[in-house]
Amino acid sequence: MALQLPATMQVFERGWLSSNNVLFTGADTALVDSGYLTHAPQTLALVRHALDERPLARLLNTHLHSDHCGGNALLQSTYACHTAIPAADAVKVASWDEDALSYRATGQQCARFNFDALLAPGDSLTLGDLSWEVLAAPGHDPHALLLFCASHGILVSGDALWENGFGVIFPELAGEPGFIEARATLDLIATLDARVVIPGHGRMFGDVGGALARAYSRLDYLSSDPRRNAENAVKVMVKFLLLERQRIALVELPGVLASIPVVGSAMGLMGGEAFADDRPLVERMNSTPSPAYIALANWAIASLIRARAARIDGEWLLDA
Ligand SMILES: [Zn+2]
């Protein structure tokens, strides 16, 4: 049976570079999450088309990763929409601290935006003429939030729960706890009686129990050896770069990886032996970065090709 949403809700399922967006209509209009910066014009076009002549009144973010709030600035300049962000990130956004906001650490882009209100666990909201609770969802991001509509059993889960897994547990890469928080977030979701989940990425789904079982199993796998989380992070970062740039010159990849602090942290956790086995796919790489980054680039390329997430064409690494 196809999943049904109330008539006041619409989901724009995006590719993986941009998070999904949830548009609410009714007495008021609101959008949850705005996608990645390079897709901002597309996000605006989707909102405009769906709202017809109505303006967007409100904008909210589940968390402030670049793929969830990269369209905020354009939406704000277009609609002057009232914007609510997780309260714990307020100081960083007010001063636009790109280090604390993760954009520098991940080498990702986000246009500066501002905010009018704060969201915190325990808040109640009206979106699409329905009542929503705001819940804490630490793990992937320490300040991430869930939105839950108890009357309809609808959960907007951000990157805390996908149909198959969840977002990278970033805090662990920086030596901060994340696995325990991610587990507590899954435990919380399990208590909600959610019947429909709108994830930050991928399609909407109704088999919440199945998704939770897969998420617990993945969390067990990652948390039992932190190297696995680090390896996953490197693969995800390279895949994100490919989605963003479409193609990367093979010789450039070690230098690009060396410029991304999160990758450096992950490499430290992986240890050299993790990727020493992969035979170099690229003989002649730009040798400016250290040999460790050349080995890491070769490992990442081999891993993504094995997973059919990338392919090589001549001198280029391409998205697959
Ligand atoms: Zn995220």
Side-chain angles (χ1 to χ4, degrees), residues 62-68 140-141 158-159 162 167-168 170 201:
T62 59
H63 63 296
L64 298 183
H65 284 159
S66 64
D67 53 331
H68 290 254
H140 162 70
D141 175 290
D159 292 344
W162 298 336
V168 171
F170 281 108
H201 300 269

